[in-house]
Amino acid sequence: MKKLLLIPALALTVFLFLQATSKEANETTIVSVEFDNEIPAHVKAVIDQKCYGCHNAESKNEKGKKKLDWDDFESSRKAKQLATMAKINETLVEGEMPPAKFLESKPEGKLSPEELQTLLDWSSGKKRAPKQ
Ligand code: HEC
């Protein structure tokens, strides 16, 4: 019986606590949430050359656009960006992008080892400065 009373008592305590703190919370203005996940220029350069063509808001490659839209990336929430980066990393490690079929007709679209490294570093969250 005593245990049963404990629950409403706890609930009341929480309620009173929230009442007391909510006034304070209401007075706090949330200014903005800043993300520092702008894509660095040296990474962007690789993406523009090797990935952007199929993965942008206007892309005619419907499948590619649906899976990844670079135009949407920087304005996405951080959690979404991190999930996208993880997916990109996985795709690159597996050697799945750019698609092999596409490279058959456009071998120059292949990532050079340096470009691949740049994208791998970035997508795994490393913030290394580019090698000059
Ligand atoms: C020739 C067009 C083309 C190019 C170039 C290209 N992609 Fe893709 N990408 C696609 C298509 C099509 C899909 C969808 C594949 C599928 O669903 O089977 C895709 C899917 C993806 C996915 C999602 C994979 C998944 O399983 O969710 C990622 C991540 C990705 N691409 C990254 C890249 C990166 C990084 C580059 C540049 C290195 C790149 N792509 C270049 C066409 C392209």
Side-chain angles (χ1 to χ4, degrees), residues 50-51 54-55 61 64 67-68 87-88 91 97-99 102 111:
K50 304 285 166 94
C51 320
C54 299
H55 294 288
N61 194 317
K67 290 267 170 151
L68 173 66
K87 193 83 218 173
I88 290 167
T91 308
M97 284 291 143
F102 161 76
L111 291 167

Side-chain angles (χ1 to χ4, degrees), residues 1-130:
M1 202 57 189
K2 263 188 185 162
K3 265 189 192 158
L4 280 178
L5 277 175
L6 208 67
I7 296 166
L10 258 177
L12 185 68
T13 312
V14 171
F15 176 75
L16 289 176
F17 177 75
L18 288 177
Q19 283 287 61
T21 52
S22 70
K23 192 170 167 272
E24 205 178 308
N26 282 341
E27 283 164 5
T28 317
T29 328
I30 295 171
V31 185
S32 73
V33 184
E34 278 185 47
F35 298 139
D36 68 338
N37 231 349
E38 240 177 74
I39 304 172
H42 70 290
V43 177
K44 218 170 213 169
V46 178
I47 292 167
D48 281 349
Q49 272 194 44
K50 304 285 166 94
C51 320
Y52 188 77
C54 299
H55 294 288
N56 67 79
E58 249 92 70
S59 174
K60 290 193 177 68
N61 194 317
E62 291 298 331
K63 250 177 141 183
K65 173 166 71 181
K66 219 174 120 207
K67 290 267 170 151
L68 173 66
D69 175 3
W70 288 113
D71 291 324
D72 186 43
F73 183 86
E74 284 188 344
S75 58
S76 294
R77 285 168 177 274
K78 183 144 193 173
K80 191 177 170 198
Q81 290 185 335
L82 292 175
T84 304
M85 286 160 76
K87 193 83 218 173
I88 290 167
N89 196 265
E90 189 188 316
T91 308
L92 292 171
V93 168
E94 301 286 325
E96 289 170 358
M97 284 291 143
K101 228 173 156 189
F102 161 76
L103 294 178
E104 275 172 24
S105 59
K106 201 170 178 283
E108 66 274 24
K110 194 172 159 49
L111 291 167
S112 71
E114 294 78 25
E115 289 172 332
L116 176 61
Q117 198 55 54
T118 297
L119 293 186
L120 284 173
D121 284 351
W122 170 75
S123 59
S124 63
K126 282 188 203 157
K127 291 207 168 139
R128 211 169 63 182

